[in-house]
Structures are given as C-alpha cells and as structure tokens.
Amino acid sequence: MPMPIMNVKLTEKILTILLLLIAAGVLTIHPAQEVSMSTLGGDKVDTLFNIISYLILFYFLISYWKGFIYVIRKSPLQFLLLAIVIFSILWSEDLSSTLKDIKGLIRIYFLAIYLAVRYPLREQMRLIAWALGTAALLSMIFSAFIPGYIHKSPELVDMWSGIYGHKNELGYMMNWSAGVFLHLALSSYRYRWLMWALCGLSICLIILTRSTTSLAILFTMILLLPFYRSFQKTNYKLQVIMITSALMLLIIFSILLINNAETVVGTSGKDLTFNGRSDLWELVISKVLERPWLGYGFSGFWTSNAASNLRATYDWASNAHNGFLELLLELGFLGFLTFAAGFIRFFVMALTRIVSVAEKPEDYWPMQMLVIIVIVNFSEARLLTPSWNWLMYVTTSLSLTLSFQRTPIYK
C-alpha cells in the first residue's frame, strides 16, 4: 500500500528548516578562503551543528521508522549504491578519509529519507526556499558590508564569495536558489513578488561571483522552460525525443559557453577550462583502468599513495574536477553502473512528471535539478559527496518514487 501524505506540525517544520539551513551551509559562515579556512566562530561551530543535526535526525528516525523502512524498500538502487560506499571500507586506499566522509553521506541519506517520507515535492520546494533564501540574503549582507567576504587574491580579486568562502561555491548554491525561486514565482500567486525578488538577488550574486559555470547553468534552466510546456502538447514518443534532444543540445551549448566564456562575456581571471583539465583527466582515466571494478574506495584516492604522482604533477588537483570520473575512481564500474541505473530511473520519472503530471512550472523542477547536477559535474567533482547536491538528488529521487506510488502516473 502507498504511504499517505501526513500532516506536519509547526515545530517539526521548524526543525526541518533548521536541518536544511545546516545542510546548505547557511549557519557555518566562511570568509573568503584566502582570509581564513575556518568558519566564523571556529571549527567548534561546525561540530555543534553536526551534533544538533544528528540529534534531530535520530529523533525523526525513531518517530517515523516504519516510513524509513518503506522508502528503503521502494528505492533499492539508491541504497545499493550506499551499501557499495559502506563496503568500500574493505578496499579503500585511505581508510580514515573513507570513514570520515561516510558519516556525512549517511546523514545526507537519513535527511533525504525523512524529507521524502514527510513532505511532497511541492512542499519540499518551499522548505528549501527558506534555506536558500536565507543563504542569498546573508551572502549579500556579508559581502556588501563586512570586510573579508570578497576575494582579494590576484587571480580572484573582487569576485564575491558570500558566506561560502569561494566564489564557485557561492555561484553553485545560488544556481539552486535562483532555480527554486524562479519556478515558485512562475507557479504560485501568494508572495510572488518576494519569490521574484529573491530570484533576482540570487542571479545578481551569480553575476558578482563571475562564475561562468553558474551562468551557463542559469541560462540553460531558463531556456528549457518553454520547451517543457510545449512537450505537454505532443504525443508521448515525440515528447521523449524532443526533451532528450533539447537537453543534449543545451548541455553542449553550456559546455561551449563555459569553455569560451572569456570571449563571450569578457571575464578576467577565468576559471580553469576543460582544456586545462584534459591532461589531468587522461591520468585519472589511467588510474581508473588500474582498478576498474571497485576503485580506490569512497574518498580513498586523493590522500593515498596511489595519487602521489598525480598530486606531484598537478598540485592544484585535490579531486578529478569531474564528478563522473571521481565516481569511477572511488567505486569503479560497479558503483558507476549502479549510479547510472538510478540516474536513468530519475530521468524517466522526472520526464514523466513533465509530460503527464505537471500542472505548474514547479513540476519541472526535478528535471531542472538534473540539468544543474550534470553541468556542474562536467567541471567539478560534486556528485557522490556529503553535499547539498547529493541531498537534492537523493531526496528528489525518493520523492518521485513515492509520488508515483500515491497517484496514477498518467492523467
């Protein structure tokens, strides 16, 4: 039997928003990285909020344990991937790093399950908006009025870092923020002016970071919106062909925009381009082929002896600068194929939601999430990590699964 949607009390919603604020890094404020690598208030602040989040999640687990078990049963691919991560302890090249990051990843999964159990996707968007809107407001205030929250180093001078310590991190989080508020503004009449204002603020912050990847993601999301609506008026087979073609073309366009951003928008101090990473990727692929099936263990490669030659040649590389290659390094083809199966399932459910279920633009959001995740991971390793990116991916995947259990897929 599908799980019913349950009413949520105000106290529980407040605790949920607190968890999302912690997950989005809103409460652990970082100055620009050349000023300090520690959070405002020191590392004890990180520890405090980690403890708070564990306590809240433990309370939710005890309260809704049946729902947790139900979600795990209905989404085997997500939890098979988590099982591979956990068992990678057995072959990890750096056991301490693996154990450290596994704890954060398990916490992400618990939060994702809780959100899927207690809130439908539309309600999740509104809760996420609280966290991301707060991040946008604080980033604007800190960078505009407090010294130390705009980059001063020569290669990044005058680029805004907000509360995240680095301009790429701020740009990446503001993509999520602009996307959520854009879709909410187009979908709801209540507080629409506020949604547009926060969307505009997020876009301004993206521009002030001068992050070309973030600009490419923003343009791609906006350009896809009219395509989604047109797909609802054509037959199903044509819808699949059109949306797949549109996604491929727009992702290619985004890659070209990132790779030629200096020419297109005249940015200075441009990020390392794909051409700059290509030599690194060749060496990473050679390392993947040395241990193709199981990899080097979750978070077990870059701090191990196996990576010493790579680190000596590319001292700036602490990851593969590509999320899909990073996944292959860590978990081999076993982990990558498990992820790919889950990703394809997510894509099919998100596509089905657009062509057969969608009533408002907010119903396009799951597909827009995939756009963000795919484009970001062409140039950065943000796939299977204890991060906001993975929280959104797992939560939405689980929520789509449950939503199709609750209601018919086709109208």
Side-chain angles (χ1 to χ4, degrees):
M1 291 290 291
M3 291 189 61
I5 299 175
M6 296 173 278
N7 293 324
V8 181
K9 295 179 180 178
L10 178 60
T11 304
E12 187 174 339
K13 281 193 176 183
I14 292 171
L15 290 175
T16 303
I17 292 169
L18 177 59
L19 284 174
L20 288 169
L21 288 169
I22 294 170
V26 177
L27 304 181
T28 49
I29 295 168
H30 290 78
Q33 64 178 21
E34 63 267 28
V35 175
S36 174
M37 296 300 291
S38 297
T39 56
L40 191 64
D43 294 338
K44 290 182 180 179
V45 173
D46 270 324
T47 304
L48 173 63
F49 286 120
N50 283 341
I51 292 170
I52 290 171
S53 61
Y54 280 120
L55 290 174
I56 296 173
L57 284 171
F58 181 73
Y59 166 71
F60 287 156
L61 175 61
I62 296 299
S63 301
Y64 307 113
W65 63 272
K66 290 182 180 179
F68 275 62
I69 293 173
Y70 179 87
V71 172
I72 292 170
R73 284 178 46 235
K74 293 296 179 180
S75 305
L77 286 171
Q78 288 293 352
F79 297 97
L80 175 59
L81 183 59
L82 179 61
I84 293 170
V85 168
I86 293 171
F87 279 105
S88 74
I89 292 170
L90 300 176
W91 63 82
S92 174
E93 286 292 307
D94 185 349
L95 184 58
S96 61
S97 293
T98 299
L99 289 171
K100 177 187 172 186
D101 285 347
I102 278 177
K103 290 188 295 183
L105 197 69
I106 290 173
R107 185 174 62 182
I108 290 291
Y109 270 86
F110 276 132
L111 178 53
I113 297 170
Y114 166 73
L115 291 170
V117 166
R118 295 295 281 161
Y119 302 98
L121 273 166
R122 290 175 181 173
E123 182 64 18
Q124 285 178 31
M125 286 186 71
R126 285 152 179 79
L127 293 171
I128 289 164
W130 278 92
L132 295 176
T134 304
L137 287 168
L138 288 178
S139 291
M140 177 60 72
I141 291 168
F142 273 77
S143 282
F145 301 109
I146 302 174
Y149 293 85
I150 298 177
H151 286 296
K152 301 298 181 186
S153 59
E155 66 275 14
L156 300 174
V157 65
D158 292 335
M159 299 180 187
W160 286 35
S161 60
I163 61 172
Y164 289 102
H166 193 278
K167 60 108 174 182
N168 284 346
E169 191 69 22
L170 175 60
Y172 154 76
M173 290 302 295
M174 289 305 102
N175 275 137
W176 289 99
S177 181
V180 165
F181 286 114
L182 173 64
H183 290 76
L184 288 176
L186 292 171
S187 302
S188 60
Y189 294 98
R190 193 179 184 189
Y191 305 122
R192 178 174 280 183
W193 65 270
L194 180 60
M195 303 299 171
W196 279 119
L198 289 168
C199 178
L201 175 62
S202 303
I203 292 171
C204 286
L205 286 166
I206 290 172
I207 294 169
L208 289 165
T209 65
R210 302 189 216 168
S211 171
T212 53
T213 301
S214 298
L215 282 171
I217 292 169
L218 179 65
F219 290 149
T220 305
M221 283 196 294
I222 293 171
L223 289 170
L224 278 170
L225 283 172
F227 284 98
Y228 294 144
R229 187 172 293 277
S230 67
F231 296 149
Q232 295 175 279
K233 301 176 182 178
T234 57
N235 69 69
Y236 188 74
K237 289 182 180 179
L238 185 58
Q239 289 165 350
V240 174
I241 294 169
M242 288 174 65
I243 198 165
T244 304
S245 300
L247 280 170
M248 290 176 65
L249 287 171
L250 285 165
I251 288 169
I252 291 169
F253 162 78
S254 300
I255 293 170
L256 292 173
L257 178 63
I258 295 167
N259 209 29
N260 297 281
E262 191 170 15
T263 303
V264 175
V265 297
T267 56
S268 59
K270 187 178 72 166
D271 293 341
L272 193 67
T273 64
F274 287 120
N275 289 332
R277 292 181 175 92
S278 59
D279 291 339
L280 171 65
W281 290 345
E282 287 179 12
L283 289 177
V284 167
I285 291 169
S286 70
K287 287 293 183 181
V288 169
L289 295 177
E290 288 178 14
R291 297 181 63 167
W293 294 111
L294 298 178
Y296 296 84
F298 180 64
S299 293
F301 177 73
W302 291 97
T303 52
S304 71
N305 291 332
S308 56
N309 290 338
L310 269 175
R311 293 199 312 271
T313 307
Y314 302 98
D315 57 1
W316 45 265
S318 58
N319 58 66
H321 286 269
N322 180 290
F324 306 102
L325 285 178
E326 188 77 6
L327 179 55
L328 280 166
L329 264 180
E330 294 184 345
L331 302 179
F333 284 99
L334 175 64
F336 183 83
L337 292 174
T338 304
F339 164 77
F343 184 91
I344 292 168
R345 186 169 183 268
F346 187 131
F347 178 85
V348 171
M349 290 189 295
L351 177 61
T352 302
R353 188 176 181 85
I354 290 173
V355 299
S356 302
V357 178
E359 298 174 353
K360 297 179 179 181
E362 64 187 359
D363 294 317
Y364 308 154
W365 180 235
M367 185 63 79
Q368 298 283 52
M369 281 189 179
L370 289 184
V371 171
I372 296 174
I373 290 166
V374 169
I375 295 176
V376 163
N377 281 284
F378 274 123
S379 57
E380 299 181 35
R382 294 182 181 269
L383 202 54
L384 184 60
T385 58
S387 65
W388 182 262
N389 185 88
W390 194 245
L391 171 63
M392 292 295 96
Y393 176 81
V394 177
T395 300
T396 308
S397 177
L398 300 180
S399 299
L400 284 171
T401 300
L402 294 186
S403 70
F404 289 151
Q405 294 286 331
R406 293 176 181 131
T407 58
I409 294 178
Y410 298 99
K411 292 180 179 178

